[in-house]
Amino acid sequence: IIIISLVPVLFLFQNTSWIEITATQYSVFSFLGRVSSLVGLVLFSINFILSTRHSILEKFFYGLNKVYVAHHLVGGISFIFLLLHPLFLSLRFIPDDWYQAATILIPSVTQPIDWPLNFGIIAIYGMIILLVVTFFVKLHYELWLWTHKLLGFVFFIGIMHSFLIPSDIATDPLLRAYMLIISLVGLLAFVYTSLMGTFVIKKYPYLVEKVAMLYEDVVELTLKPIRHIMPYRAGQFVFVRFFQSGIPTQRHPFSVSSIVSKDEKQQLTI
């Protein structure tokens, strides 16, 4: 993840000398703003890839629980980098031109409207609002899921800003190709998880055969396959949705506490 995120920075160093970077306050904060935007966008894309919970990721991170940890960590770091991007660009003008510094953070409303700039402002404010709601507001689970789906729209707006505004992506073909690939993979991951998951992710219907209370707050379910048997290993996480009146229908991860047996039954510990 670190290597993939730092590749754009190598492109910047290849095209910009150290003397150009450190010549003035303006050039220093300009370079930091460019770095933070590229690294933040790459991490944002990687975060959508981690959210797919694909079996390849589970093997790479040695467990779905560690994929979740990486998902939260990468998401938080990407938010910090993307938040630093407009702040660094504003700091270029302080204290000489406060008005110009403020225009970085205020949408363009006068003709001609600078839509590439506005896309970036909409994306950063949208991300701030959604993440603040996610972390600090107690929402119903369905609403919480919708905030995550809206992050995909924010990501798309951010991509439009990155590729339409005059920047390193516009002037460096190799950097543009790299960022385009990373961004498209992130968008495809979002579409796969949030929009097409209902259709493309394979599902296995099971019947709850037995419910055993192991402790006051621990339940063990014994499940019997209705058609096909789901391949699994003991200790893995599976996402389960229960279809019964009075039980929410959202999918949640639970650990498999049984090994593959001859009777084809499966046990979950909740």
Side-chain angles (χ1 to χ4, degrees), residues 165-181:
I165 203 165
S167 64
D168 297 284
I169 293 178
T171 57
D172 188 334
L174 291 178
L175 177 61
R176 182 166 61 250
Y178 183 82
M179 295 302 297
L180 182 61
I181 292 172

Side-chain angles (χ1 to χ4, degrees), residues 119-184:
F119 286 146
I121 295 173
I122 293 170
I124 195 68
Y125 285 148
M127 185 175 64
I128 291 172
I129 293 171
L130 290 173
L131 290 180
V132 166
V133 168
T134 298
F135 288 120
F136 299 106
V137 180
K138 190 174 182 179
L139 298 174
H140 188 274
Y141 186 74
E142 290 290 345
L143 290 176
W144 181 84
L145 282 178
W146 270 105
T147 62
H148 273 53
K149 291 181 179 181
L150 288 175
L151 279 173
F153 175 73
V154 169
F155 179 57
F156 177 72
I157 296 296
I159 291 174
M160 293 180 64
H161 164 74
S162 300
F163 283 87
L164 293 178
I165 203 165
S167 64
D168 297 284
I169 293 178
T171 57
D172 188 334
L174 291 178
L175 177 61
R176 182 166 61 250
Y178 183 82
M179 295 302 297
L180 182 61
I181 292 172
I182 293 293
S183 300
L184 287 177

Side-chain angles (χ1 to χ4, degrees), residues 48 52 155 182-194 196:
F48 279 121
T52 62
F155 179 57
I182 293 293
S183 300
L184 287 177
V185 172
L187 281 175
L188 288 174
F190 166 73
V191 172
Y192 170 81
T193 305
S194 300
M196 297 184 63

Side-chain angles (χ1 to χ4, degrees), residues 192-223:
Y192 170 81
T193 305
S194 300
L195 303 181
M196 297 184 63
T198 305
F199 309 102
V200 300
I201 298 177
K202 192 171 183 179
K203 302 171 183 63
Y204 298 86
Y206 274 71
L207 178 68
V208 178
E209 190 176 73
K210 181 182 177 182
V211 179
M213 293 293 301
L214 301 183
Y215 302 99
E216 183 179 349
D217 56 352
V218 180
V219 178
E220 183 181 74
L221 302 182
T222 301
L223 308 178

Side-chain angles (χ1 to χ4, degrees), residues 243-262:
F243 295 94
Q244 181 172 323
S245 177
I247 298 179
T249 58
Q250 303 93 357
R251 286 186 293 270
H252 293 282
F254 300 111
S255 57
V256 180
S257 54
S258 62
I259 61 174
V260 180
S261 58
K262 292 183 179 180

